[in-house]
Amino acid sequence: MMSLEHKSKEDFLMNAKKGLAKLTVLFLVLGLLSGCGKGAKPSNPDEGSQNGTTTNGTTTNNSTTAEEKGNFNATGLPILNEPEEFTFMVMQQSTTHPAENKPIVKETEEATNIKINWIEVPQSSWKEKTNIAFASGDLPDVFASGGIDTALHYEQFLILDDLIEQYAPNVQKILEDPRYAQGLKAPDGKIHQLPGGDEAFNNQMDKTLWINQAWLDTLGLKMPTTTDEFYDVLKAFKEKDPNGNGKADEIPLTFQGITTWATGMSNLFGPFGVLETGSHVFMDGDKVVFAAREQGYYDALQWMHKLFKEGLIDQEAFSHSAEQYGSKAKGKDIIGATVNWRPDVTVGPELGDNYTHVVPLKGPEGKQMVSLNNIVRTSGFGITTACKNPEALIRWYDYINSSMEMTLKWSRGVENEHWKKVEGDKFMFTPENRPADVNAGEWKNNFTFGGQSPSLWTITMEDRIVPNPNSPKDIKKAAITESLPYAIPGLPAGSDTPENTERKSMLSADIDTYITKFIATSVINGIDEQKWEAHLKALKDLRVDEYVEISQEYVDRLAK
């Protein structure tokens, strides 16, 4: 007779097997109902998983392809014979014109039979929402905006190399550019994300120094070319009433913050042979330089303190918010020099034409330097491991990057309304169709995805843009052209190892906080040798040596 103990064990094992079988069936059903291609018929589990299924972070390519299942076309249009639905998470570009209503979205859906369900996330919460998605595993089929760190999340994106080779001839053309061939590689050496957004000429420099040419003319002053001349001009702006209202209301120089996009003062270090950047390093050839421990940094701070102490720098430069900076001088003739994308952003359109770009100033030793942004886009379109039909989506991305006309539709506007084709292979923007009370950026984003488009706007495309005679002069482009001879790059585009990325992120959090406070304090209160020595010790305590070593390892790895 079977013992009670033995019978209990057998019952337990039998019940466990039954439970496991039920769970297996449940998981199979759930698996068929989830993921991308939500309008597709469930595939037969016996056919095997599709290309792109990941196991322990690697991609397996099985024999059953989407084409063999009958709804996918490897070439031509439509991409799918019957419509299927996919979920894209994208950074919101317009609060009044949702993504699904943009003309190019409807046009592409009709051409491809791929319907996108758009999850639009405000830019202010993009990082938070995407991090939640990665942490929870509740992923869309595609992240279709930039700003996703490949190094931290590449295992949750599919490997795209084989798909590109099979289905994406236009992507292969993008990869002929060595910047992308190298920069898109994840730590495993594979491509997990493709570029989207703007590699525009004007994005090479955001922080531009503008000076009030009308004030210069009124006071009979020449355009300053050195730090000493700039000091003299600012002093005249403060003391000689250039706006002629009899009040001492002039602000000789204003900016907002330090490395703040477009408005920060960080390029003022350039005349002293160093550059402060968002990463706090710049490149000297193939060497990584941490700016805040260089002698030129100390010299720059002393010069800026002199300006601040004498009231030549806006006394609120380190304290006013972006909103305050954007409104304090609108329509008021009180600003001598400003740091911004364009001068009218600071002073308003009625006064913007009074300003001229200041070519990077020469310092006491003749140094001229300005920071060059890395415009290579290493993210913007990533197919996640939630997707069950990546072949269709790699073809979709290839299609929207198949011509300049298509890229214009995704990132610049509607043909013959916002742009038009002219002689040969040239194009022209048509701003005369824009309502007077709507700015150019808002107008573009109402109808396109602008700088967060899943298509890639390359800098070479701008060679095919013919200036519109009815358009105002592109003063930003002219300013960058004048500055490029003095431009110094930061770190190259690419992905570091997850370990180094995480460690560097931890170090930079404390370094950022310290540097921001140190600069403001030094400019406002002054800096001397004793304070400088204390500063250098603080940098050691913050493990700046390790931070630079990690950055240098990254640069050396990319160069191999």
Side-chain angles (χ1 to χ4, degrees):
M1 182 175 177
M2 184 181 298
S3 69
L4 181 62
E5 179 183 0
H6 183 68
K7 186 175 185 303
S8 297
K9 288 180 178 178
E10 283 197 342
D11 289 342
F12 173 80
L13 291 172
M14 184 175 294
N15 289 333
K17 288 178 180 178
K18 289 179 180 179
L20 181 59
K22 291 179 180 179
L23 283 173
T24 301
V25 172
L26 177 61
F27 286 144
L28 284 172
V29 172
L30 289 174
L32 292 171
L33 294 176
S34 65
C36 80
K38 295 173 179 60
K41 296 178 180 179
S43 60
N44 186 340
D46 294 335
E47 291 179 341
S49 58
Q50 295 184 32
N51 178 30
T53 302
T54 61
T55 305
N56 296 327
T58 61
T59 297
T60 59
N61 296 320
N62 297 298
S63 58
T64 302
T65 67
E67 189 174 12
E68 290 172 337
K69 293 177 183 178
N71 196 38
F72 172 73
N73 297 312
T75 59
L77 294 173
I79 294 172
L80 298 174
N81 294 318
E82 296 296 329
E84 295 184 18
E85 295 184 10
F86 302 84
T87 302
F88 282 28
M89 184 176 284
V90 65
M91 197 177 295
Q92 186 182 54
Q93 297 301 295
S94 172
T95 57
T96 59
H97 292 66
E100 63 186 24
N101 291 340
K102 296 181 190 295
I104 186 56
V105 169
K106 296 179 179 180
E107 176 186 325
T108 303
E109 180 181 334
E110 291 175 3
T112 63
N113 268 341
I114 291 175
K115 175 176 173 53
I116 310 302
N117 295 317
W118 300 92
I119 302 173
E120 295 190 75
V121 179
Q123 184 173 354
S124 59
S125 57
W126 174 254
K127 186 174 183 180
E128 175 192 359
K129 296 295 185 184
T130 54
N131 283 341
I132 290 173
F134 285 118
S136 67
D138 185 14
L139 300 170
D141 300 318
V142 168
F143 285 98
S145 290
I148 303 293
D149 194 323
T150 300
L152 295 178
H153 303 295
Y154 72 95
E155 291 186 342
Q156 290 173 283
F157 288 109
L158 298 181
I159 294 174
L160 302 178
D161 299 62
D162 291 344
L163 291 170
I164 292 169
E165 184 177 353
Q166 288 179 273
Y167 302 116
N170 296 303
V171 178
Q172 292 175 41
K173 292 177 183 177
I174 293 174
L175 296 178
E176 290 175 0
D177 185 334
R179 298 175 306 151
Y180 284 105
Q182 186 62 48
L184 289 173
K185 289 182 180 178
D188 61 356
K190 304 294 184 180
I191 295 175
H192 292 256
Q193 288 201 75
L194 293 170
D198 272 9
E199 193 196 75
F201 183 91
N202 285 359
N203 286 346
Q204 294 178 99
M205 296 177 190
D206 50 86
K207 303 170 185 65
T208 304
L209 179 61
W210 309 91
I211 198 163
N212 195 323
Q213 184 67 51
W215 286 11
L216 290 176
D217 295 343
T218 295
L219 299 178
L221 301 172
K222 294 181 179 179
M223 172 67 68
T225 60
T226 69
T227 50
D228 287 342
E229 291 174 359
F230 189 56
Y231 166 80
D232 290 338
V233 165
L234 296 182
K235 196 169 180 63
F237 284 172
K238 178 178 174 59
E239 298 175 350
K240 297 185 178 182
D241 192 25
N243 64 13
N245 65 0
K247 301 177 183 178
D249 57 353
E250 289 86 356
I251 301 175
L253 169 63
T254 188
F255 51 82
Q256 193 257 320
I258 298 165
T259 57
T260 319
W261 184 85
T263 61
M265 49 69 78
S266 53
N267 277 329
L268 293 178
F269 286 92
F272 299 87
V274 294
L275 288 172
E276 183 57 85
T277 65
S279 64
H280 307 295
V281 300
F282 63 95
M283 297 303 300
D284 181 6
D286 57 1
K287 180 185 177 183
V288 176
V289 179
F290 191 88
R293 56 184 182 183
E294 298 294 307
Q295 178 63 37
Y297 204 88
Y298 173 75
D299 297 338
L301 290 174
Q302 283 197 316
W303 176 72
M304 283 185 268
H305 171 62
K306 177 183 178 182
L307 269 57
F308 190 90
K309 184 179 180 181
E310 296 185 21
L312 307 183
I313 289 178
D314 189 341
Q315 303 296 287
E316 297 178 326
F318 297 104
S319 61
H320 53 201
S321 66
E323 291 76 17
Q324 291 169 330
Y325 184 65
S327 62
K328 70 188 302 179
K330 284 287 194 304
K332 303 173 184 176
D333 189 20
I334 59 173
I335 302 299
T338 177
V339 179
N340 218 318
W341 180 261
R342 293 189 318 272
D344 57 290
V345 182
T346 300
V347 300
E350 61 271 31
L351 294 173
D353 290 344
N354 290 348
Y355 289 77
T356 304
H357 169 243
V358 180
V359 175
L361 298 167
K362 291 181 183 178
E365 297 180 5
K367 301 283 183 66
Q368 283 178 281
M369 292 170 58
V370 66
S371 184
L372 182 69
N373 293 337
N374 195 326
I375 59 174
V376 175
R377 307 285 294 190
T378 56
S379 64
F381 187 86
I383 304 174
T384 74
T385 53
C387 186
K388 301 297 187 294
N389 192 355
E391 294 91 344
L393 294 187
I394 198 70
R395 283 215 59 214
W396 185 91
Y397 175 86
D398 196 69
Y399 171 68
I400 70 169
N401 284 282
S402 60
S403 67
M404 183 165 172
E405 290 95 328
M406 186 63 71
T407 302
L408 281 163
K409 291 177 182 180
W410 277 93
S411 65
R412 292 299 185 271
V414 180
E415 185 174 6
N416 295 323
E417 290 186 26
H418 306 102
W419 58 272
K420 61 184 178 182
K421 192 165 186 178
V422 291
E423 71 275 5
D425 63 348
K426 304 293 185 179
F427 299 86
M428 178 185 291
F429 294 125
T430 55
E432 63 271 17
N433 292 333
R434 172 167 53 89
D437 60 341
V438 180
N439 68 52
E442 180 183 352
W443 181 241
K444 176 176 66 175
N445 291 340
N446 283 344
F447 301 94
T448 74
F449 292 83
Q452 291 298 332
S453 170
S455 65
L456 176 65
W457 177 271
T458 66
I459 196 169
T460 56
M461 289 180 175
E462 300 197 6
D463 295 335
R464 296 168 63 185
I465 298 296
V466 176
N468 189 315
N470 297 319
S471 300
K473 180 183 177 182
D474 189 346
I475 60 172
K476 180 69 175 183
K477 186 172 185 177
I480 292 175
T481 301
E482 290 179 332
S483 298
L484 278 176
Y486 315 105
I488 304 295
L491 295 174
S495 295
D496 206 343
T497 64
E499 297 77 16
N500 280 355
T501 299
E502 185 175 359
R503 179 58 178 161
K504 190 175 177 183
S505 178
M506 292 175 62
L507 291 171
S508 67
D510 291 335
I511 292 171
D512 286 343
T513 301
Y514 170 77
I515 290 292
T516 300
K517 182 178 180 181
F518 172 72
I519 291 174
T521 300
S522 299
V523 173
I524 294 171
N525 299 327
I527 182 79
D528 56 25
E529 290 291 345
Q530 185 176 358
K531 291 178 180 178
W532 181 250
E533 288 301 318
H535 160 69
L536 295 178
K537 181 182 183 304
L539 293 182
K540 285 186 176 294
D541 294 340
L542 289 167
R543 299 184 179 275
V544 164
D545 287 340
E546 181 184 356
Y547 181 85
V548 172
E549 183 179 353
I550 292 172
S551 300
Q552 189 67 60
E553 287 178 3
Y554 163 73
V555 171
D556 295 342
R557 188 183 303 113
L558 287 182
K560 291 180 181 179

